[in-house]
Amino acid sequence: MEMVVLPGRRARRLRRPSAREAGTALLFILPCLALFVVFRFGPAIAGVVLGFTDYTIGGDTGWVGLENFRRLVDDPTFWSAVRVTVVFTLLSVPLSMLASLGMALLTRRAFRGAKIFRSIFFLPVVTSLVLAGVVFTWVFAEGGPWSSLMAGLGLPAGSWLADSVLVIPALVFVSVWSRFGYGMLILLARLQEIPAELEEAARTDGASAWQRFRYVTLPQLRPALFFVAIIETTVSFQVFDTVYVMTGGGPVRASYTLVYMLYDQGFRYFDLGYASAIGVALFVMTVVVALIQRLTLGREK
């Protein structure tokens, strides 16, 4: 028996549910649990299995073993897509995390209009990426606002989306703009949980603002930063919407990512077995990067 005291009320005893009651509760939960398992893990398992077949829509399916993965190793398009995806991730994740951390530190204090600023910063997260891609296609087009700004600064004023070197920075800009609000919200929640006494004690001991951030705030943020890093890395590896809308993988496949290659193989060429193998390779890459991040950011003392 367990005694619980509720404010303003008499103490009352709460008993543990019996096995029969727990079974009844599980019975009610079971339909939702079954749907979650079927529609969450079923497609993932089917995708792994299809990676070992030559499955195509409307055709015969046969078991080919590791043949699809051998094709990946020998496919220069695959390695080009890996390079583009890795470069995009290496640029997008740190910039997004820096923007998230900066905005969280900027809005952590209570001031007039703080909630309005937080809402504005979070707004891109709930904005359709397709709509954002259409708008930013116009922004980065030749003769668009960005091109005019570059011309005013005396820099090359062509379309960034038509330049094989500048197309990835343009996509990274859109990605950071659309994602930093989510990380800001996570870090802001963690910042507000840090006891104010810690910073006050450091300030009393003569610590500068940078020292207080480095030795007091940053260690407290480590679990939240690890979570944001995992989420941002996963999203960056799976970038597709903006690439599909803004560049179509071009120019000359300079923005041809792994997920776009998966889309091409599966839904343009209907080689779903090979597309599934690409998905498996992408999953393995994401897990490996997550483990590396776990050993660095997520390591506990």
Side-chain angles (χ1 to χ4, degrees), residues 9-245:
R9 298 184 182 181
R10 291 183 178 180
R12 62 179 182 179
R13 296 180 180 275
L14 298 179
R15 63 181 181 82
R16 296 181 182 276
S18 64
R20 181 177 179 180
E21 291 172 332
T24 303
L26 182 61
L27 188 62
F28 280 100
I29 296 173
L30 193 58
C32 292
L33 182 62
L35 288 174
F36 176 80
V37 171
V38 169
F39 289 101
R40 181 68 176 177
F41 297 104
I45 295 172
V48 173
V49 173
L50 288 178
F52 296 92
T53 69
D54 58 355
Y55 176 67
T56 57
I57 295 179
D60 296 331
T61 302
W63 186 265
V64 296
L66 297 175
E67 182 59 33
N68 288 325
F69 298 96
R70 294 193 187 97
R71 284 179 60 188
L72 283 180
V73 174
D74 297 332
D75 189 349
T77 303
F78 169 74
W79 293 111
S80 174
V82 170
R83 179 185 59 80
V84 170
T85 303
V86 170
V87 170
F88 177 88
T89 302
L90 289 176
L91 292 175
S92 177
V93 173
L95 290 176
S96 183
M97 292 184 66
L98 284 174
S100 299
L101 180 59
M103 293 300 110
L105 292 171
L106 185 65
T107 59
R108 69 180 296 196
R109 304 298 182 188
F111 59 90
R112 186 183 299 274
K115 293 182 179 180
I116 296 176
F117 280 105
R118 293 169 189 170
S119 301
I120 293 173
F121 292 150
F122 187 75
L123 190 60
V125 179
V126 296
T127 302
S128 167
L129 275 179
V130 174
L131 176 60
V134 172
V135 173
F136 277 104
T137 299
W138 167 72
V139 169
F140 285 109
E142 187 171 359
W146 190 260
S147 177
S148 301
L149 176 63
M150 293 295 103
L153 296 174
L155 299 174
S159 171
W160 278 32
L161 300 181
D163 191 306
S164 59
V165 175
L166 298 177
V167 64
I168 291 298
L171 293 173
V172 167
F173 179 88
V174 179
S175 176
V176 172
W177 173 85
S178 66
R179 292 292 307 170
F180 81 90
Y182 179 80
M184 178 201 72
L185 200 65
I186 301 298
L187 296 177
L188 182 61
R190 179 57 184 156
L191 280 170
Q192 292 178 339
E193 292 180 354
I194 300 176
E197 294 80 5
L198 295 177
E199 289 194 21
E200 291 296 333
R203 185 182 289 108
T204 303
D205 290 339
S208 64
W210 168 248
Q211 289 173 329
R212 293 196 303 271
F213 171 74
R214 180 179 179 183
Y215 296 109
V216 178
T217 304
L218 197 57
Q220 298 289 328
L221 283 177
R222 193 170 183 174
L225 287 171
F226 169 64
F227 175 78
V228 173
I230 292 293
I231 296 299
E232 292 297 331
T233 301
T234 303
V235 171
S236 296
F237 268 112
Q238 297 177 358
V239 61
F240 174 76
D241 310 62
T242 51
V243 175
Y244 181 82
V245 174

